[in-house]
Amino acid sequence: MAKSSSLNVRVVEGRALPAKDVDLAPRDISGTSDPFARVFWGSQSLETSTIKKTRFPHWDEVLELRELPGAPSPLRVELWDWDMVGKNDFLGMVEFPPQVLQQNPPNGWFRLLPFPRAEEDAGRNLGALRLKVRLNEDRVLPSPYYQPLTELLMESVLRPAEEDAASPLVVLEEVTLGDCRQDLATKLVKLFLGQGLAGPFLDYLTRREVARTTDPNTLFRSNSLASKSMEQFMKLVGMPYLHEVLKPVVNRVFEEKKYMELDPGKMELGRTRRISFKGMPSEEHVRETSLGLLTGYLGPIMDAIVGSVGRCPLAMRMAFKQLHQRVEERFPQAEHEDLKYLAISGFLFLRFFAPAILTPKLFDLRDQHADPQTSRSLLLLAKAVQSIGNLGQQLGQGKELWMAPLHPFLLQSISRVREFLDRLVNVEAVGEAGGSARALVPPSVTVREGYLLKRKEEPASLATRFAFKKRYFWLSGETLSYSKSPEWQMRSSMPVSHIRAVERVDEGAFQLPHVMQVVTQDDAGALHTTYLQCKNVNELNQWLSALRKASAPNPDKLAACHPGAFRGARWTCCLQAERSVAGCSRTHSAVTLGDWSDPLDPDAETQMVYRQLLLGRDQLRMKFLEGSNMDTTLEADTGKGLRDCPDALAQQRTAATRLLEVLEDLDRAHEEFQQRERDHAASSPLRP
């Protein structure tokens, strides 16, 4: 049984202590810093992006680190000032022991401290750092133990959703709240994608949501499991599509840095020089010029969206088609004609396009957050796209009447959106997209290329810094090839079909960050490992994702590998002396669906679902097996009383009993594995 532990570290922002009207101690001559955060947990480390020329950095980035074998490790977060020339300058640090991570995870502002024995910073106010940390600890059983629960989950989406009251999905819907609901939605979407049943899963949740909605104005407006699942589904399968549609205009906004403002209360007339006004600037001048700039950006955005039907992933189009159909069946009246459009645009525009425009970094459209002026411009554009997605229902209402100059453009765009949505759902199914055996990379198309540092095959006599050589790599669906430069005629290559694992490498293996390994198997069955170093964590994630996509259909993937390297006659990760010993860490054997998402890991995902179901076990037992309020419960779920549908109640009892038995079997399996671990630990000889 593998132990699955991960640490989510949300690095929010930095600021000064209230006693000092400064932020992070400035190191540059200009009086500002270029701060970035470096997070350490055990032998692992990750970095945030660098925020240029600010003493008030705002990252709001989540870094996930996975636990490696060994004793529990403290968490240390260091802040550094990036310098183009010379060494980076230390700004401050915070550290938390393992007991704090387990019992009271950090959440809030923490004073930055100097390095121990650092006389230069002793006694100084170094500022503060805002963090939110969450430790996820669980033990993942071998795959066969999860098969009964996986079968129950898959079966539940094929039954009548409106009458379902005891399936695992219903229990999960009732007992999961808040942040856990979004995490659960992500796990469920990945689980059903891996089984090729994402479409039926989303349709099941949609049918339940639509059936219990009485007020059409509230449809999908809450953060229900149906809403969160559709939102996470779009992020998992639709990110390349989002980039293709929005990235050109978002890049323009960042690069051109035009001043735009429509709200009189926020106008800064002194900044109008940047847009070349003649004479005395006025609010009217700012408004007219800003309107021209906004429509100059919105026009290409809308052109790209309405022209993107053919580029939208088939899985998304099929999900929207099902959504369109279910809403039209539930609300066929003429006064609800727009509802079938609003249901789709509410997801696509309000939960996908608009948030990506507002915060491009969170959708990997940009490497860094926007400066305040660009952020305001993005907010105005996001508000406009949101109004278009609402089909103008609230246009001219509320507190933002200053948006009125944009209304003619917005109204003109709304008719285009209706036509776009009609074409978007006009699609026929050709099989479920997202299955784990599906090739996600075209064979002959180069999907990623660039410089990486490649380690020589057996550089035993070389120091680490000499063992890695710069090479230019190309990845297609058929080969991973490389040469000394893009123009070099001689290339070496390895078939993608030979790849058996693509994994990160611990920083401690070579004392280098951002290293990954590609494990291949030759025709004789021997395994070979190629170590590649990327220049930063974003590039590492993108190469990991691209390689996993390309090798997704490969058979015989490795179940485990070594996150370290074999150096000094032993593995740096588990300290085993045999080079051929089995891997000590589980691999991500399935496909990554986006460059910014975790890979599919069905065992870990099902384990998380099992833990959530345990929260509703007593409720399920009381509802169906102990005779209390069964009539009112069934009536609330199906609209019928106990006397009206005895067969339905019997089916629900059978389903509840089966689910409880599956949970009890998993309970016993966990207890048995834990007992084996205790027995093994007790029988192992003590080492000095």
Side-chain angles (χ1 to χ4, degrees):
M1 178 171 65
K3 184 178 179 181
S4 174
S5 296
S6 63
L7 194 69
N8 288 76
V9 182
R10 182 181 177 189
V11 184
V12 185
E13 57 185 321
R15 75 173 185 191
L17 295 173
K20 295 281 187 178
D21 191 20
V22 294
D23 190 40
L24 305 176
R27 297 290 191 178
D28 296 342
I29 297 175
S30 61
T32 65
S33 296
D34 301 323
F36 67 92
R38 186 177 288 159
V39 178
F40 296 88
W41 193 41
S43 61
Q44 300 180 88
S45 69
L46 292 174
E47 293 179 2
T48 65
S49 58
T50 300
I51 309 297
K52 296 293 184 67
K53 294 190 180 301
T54 180
R55 293 157 59 190
F56 298 84
H58 182 89
W59 293 281
D60 200 17
E61 296 183 28
V62 178
L63 306 178
E64 182 173 349
L65 303 98
R66 297 195 176 276
E67 186 180 50
L68 300 174
S73 303
L75 168 68
R76 187 172 80 254
V77 183
E78 299 175 358
L79 294 189
W80 291 82
D81 171 38
W82 178 85
D83 283 329
M84 181 177 294
V85 180
K87 294 182 178 180
N88 297 329
D89 294 315
F90 176 75
L91 295 174
M93 61 172 281
V94 291
E95 189 166 18
F96 307 96
Q99 296 84 352
V100 172
L101 300 179
Q102 294 169 347
Q103 300 171 10
N104 187 25
N107 183 10
W109 287 97
F110 300 93
R111 180 177 178 176
L112 292 170
L113 302 174
F115 265 139
R117 299 180 300 278
E119 297 179 3
E120 176 186 355
D121 293 322
R124 296 181 59 198
N125 288 318
L126 300 179
L129 180 66
R130 185 181 171 197
L131 297 170
K132 183 175 182 180
V133 179
R134 186 177 67 199
L135 178 64
N136 304 311
E137 290 189 299
D138 218 337
R139 294 181 179 272
V140 181
L141 300 169
S143 299
Y145 288 91
Y146 295 110
Q147 191 61 33
L149 179 55
T150 301
E151 291 175 358
L152 275 183
L153 287 166
M154 302 306 136
E155 290 173 10
S156 64
V157 303
L158 304 177
R159 66 178 64 177
E162 299 82 359
E163 300 177 5
D164 192 4
S167 76
L169 290 177
V170 173
V171 177
L172 290 168
E173 194 173 26
E174 292 179 356
V175 301
T176 310
L177 302 172
D179 292 341
C180 290
R181 179 165 286 178
Q182 179 164 319
D183 292 342
L184 176 66
T186 303
K187 300 294 185 186
L188 287 172
V189 170
K190 288 183 177 181
L191 194 58
F192 280 94
L193 273 168
Q195 296 289 329
L197 290 172
F201 165 67
L202 294 171
D203 186 46
Y204 171 90
L205 296 178
T206 295
R207 284 181 283 143
R208 285 187 59 80
E209 182 91 355
V210 168
R212 60 174 176 249
T213 299
T214 56
D215 182 1
N217 295 319
T218 65
L219 185 63
F220 297 113
R221 295 294 178 176
S222 67
N223 288 323
S224 63
L225 186 59
S227 297
K228 283 296 182 184
S229 296
M230 181 67 84
E231 184 178 335
Q232 297 307 308
F233 171 75
M234 291 190 298
K235 291 179 180 178
L236 284 167
V237 305
M239 281 295 198
Y241 165 64
L242 178 89
H243 277 219
E244 194 172 356
V245 171
L246 295 182
K247 195 163 189 174
V249 178
V250 169
N251 284 343
R252 273 185 55 205
V253 176
F254 272 79
E255 292 160 5
E256 295 175 0
K257 296 187 180 298
K258 302 288 188 181
Y259 178 73
M260 298 178 285
E261 187 55 74
L262 295 180
D263 184 354
K266 295 184 180 295
M267 284 184 183
E268 299 178 26
L269 300 182
R271 305 183 76 169
T272 57
R273 296 174 186 173
R274 296 187 180 183
I275 45 180
S276 303
F277 288 129
K278 295 181 179 180
M280 183 66 66
S282 66
E283 287 186 4
E284 187 61 29
H285 286 147
V286 176
R287 187 178 298 109
E288 289 178 3
T289 306
S290 297
L291 179 61
L293 291 170
L294 284 168
T295 54
Y297 291 124
L298 285 170
I301 288 176
M302 292 310 303
D303 289 343
I305 290 175
V306 300
S308 68
V309 170
R311 289 171 288 171
C312 184
L314 176 63
M316 284 180 62
R317 296 183 66 183
M318 288 304 304
F320 292 146
K321 180 178 182 177
Q322 291 175 332
L323 178 62
H324 181 277
Q325 178 184 343
R326 299 305 181 190
V327 173
E328 192 172 37
E329 290 172 351
R330 176 67 176 85
F331 299 100
Q333 300 87 349
E335 63 266 28
H336 300 317
E337 174 67 21
D338 271 350
L339 201 57
K340 60 190 178 187
Y341 296 110
L342 284 166
I344 302 172
S345 64
F347 286 115
L348 191 57
F349 283 78
L350 276 62
R351 293 179 184 247
F352 200 44
F353 289 144
I357 293 171
L358 181 63
T359 52
K361 186 182 184 304
L362 298 185
F363 289 77
D364 208 41
L365 287 166
R366 298 288 298 187
D367 291 334
Q368 297 179 0
H369 288 291
D371 58 57
Q373 177 181 313
T374 304
S375 181
R376 178 62 183 173
S377 299
L378 294 171
L379 176 61
L380 294 173
L381 293 171
K383 284 180 178 291
V385 171
Q386 188 174 18
S387 296
I388 294 170
N390 276 323
L391 303 185
Q393 282 200 336
Q394 299 175 355
L395 220 54
Q397 303 176 19
K399 300 178 180 179
E400 297 178 345
L401 299 179
W402 46 264
M403 289 282 287
L406 268 178
H407 288 180
F409 177 89
L410 302 181
L411 291 170
Q412 182 183 5
S413 300
I414 288 168
S415 60
R416 299 179 69 195
V417 167
R418 286 195 180 92
E419 295 173 3
F420 161 70
L421 296 176
D422 281 332
R423 287 184 286 119
L424 194 66
V425 300
N426 185 18
V427 61
E428 296 299 327
V430 292
E432 176 71 37
S436 57
R438 177 174 172 262
L440 300 179
V441 173
S444 59
V445 176
T446 299
V447 294
R448 187 158 190 85
E449 60 182 289
Y451 278 107
L452 298 172
L453 295 178
K454 177 183 178 294
R455 185 174 187 256
K456 290 189 174 183
E457 293 296 331
E458 293 293 339
S461 61
L462 297 177
T464 298
R465 65 180 181 275
F466 299 120
F468 283 81
K469 296 296 184 181
K470 190 175 184 179
R471 296 292 182 262
Y472 195 87
F473 280 79
W474 295 265
L475 173 65
S476 71
E478 293 178 338
T479 61
L480 176 64
S481 57
Y482 60 93
S483 67
K484 288 187 176 180
S485 70
E487 299 80 19
W488 200 261
Q489 297 299 318
M490 297 291 292
R491 291 190 187 184
S492 301
S493 66
M494 61 183 78
V496 166
S497 60
H498 288 188
I499 294 177
R500 296 295 176 261
V502 181
E503 296 296 321
R504 297 174 186 265
V505 176
D506 299 344
E507 185 170 337
F510 302 108
Q511 302 303 313
L512 294 172
H514 319 313
V515 178
M516 64 179 173
Q517 57 180 312
V518 181
V519 183
T520 56
Q521 187 174 38
D522 61 25
D523 294 334
L527 295 176
H528 305 273
T529 303
T530 301
Y531 295 99
L532 304 171
Q533 185 186 20
C534 304
K535 65 181 180 181
N536 56 47
V537 67
N538 289 333
E539 185 178 84
L540 173 63
N541 288 334
Q542 290 162 7
W543 272 104
L544 283 169
S545 174
L547 284 162
R548 286 171 178 160
K549 284 181 180 178
S551 60
N554 293 357
D556 303 324
K557 294 285 187 64
L558 295 181
C561 73
H562 291 281
F566 194 79
R567 304 182 65 200
R570 66 179 184 179
W571 287 100
T572 60
C573 45
C574 58
L575 306 182
Q576 294 291 324
E578 290 290 334
R579 179 188 286 270
S580 60
V581 70
C584 59
S585 179
R586 296 171 65 244
T587 61
H588 300 100
S589 59
V591 61
T592 302
L593 294 164
D595 292 344
W596 31 84
S597 63
D598 293 331
L600 299 178
D601 190 348
D603 294 342
E605 288 146 14
T606 312
Q607 172 65 20
M608 189 265 195
V609 170
Y610 156 69
R611 289 297 182 196
Q612 287 297 122
L613 285 169
L614 292 182
L615 300 177
R617 177 160 54 183
D618 292 342
Q619 178 181 338
L620 185 68
R621 187 180 288 115
M622 291 180 62
K623 181 185 287 189
F624 292 102
L625 304 182
E626 296 184 1
S628 63
N629 67 358
M630 287 186 297
D631 194 14
T632 57
T633 297
L634 192 62
E635 186 172 359
D637 288 334
T638 68
K640 299 179 181 180
L642 174 65
R643 298 175 181 175
D644 298 329
C645 47
D647 293 340
L649 178 59
Q651 292 174 3
Q652 302 294 353
R653 277 178 167 166
T654 301
T657 300
R658 186 179 171 196
L659 175 56
L660 290 169
E661 289 173 350
V662 167
L663 297 180
E664 289 169 3
D665 289 342
L666 283 170
D667 283 347
R668 283 193 293 270
H670 275 281
E671 291 171 2
E672 290 171 2
F673 272 89
Q674 289 172 10
Q675 185 60 48
R676 290 181 200 173
E677 288 182 348
R678 289 191 291 267
D679 294 343
H680 178 73
S683 62
S684 298
L686 295 176
R687 296 181 179 179

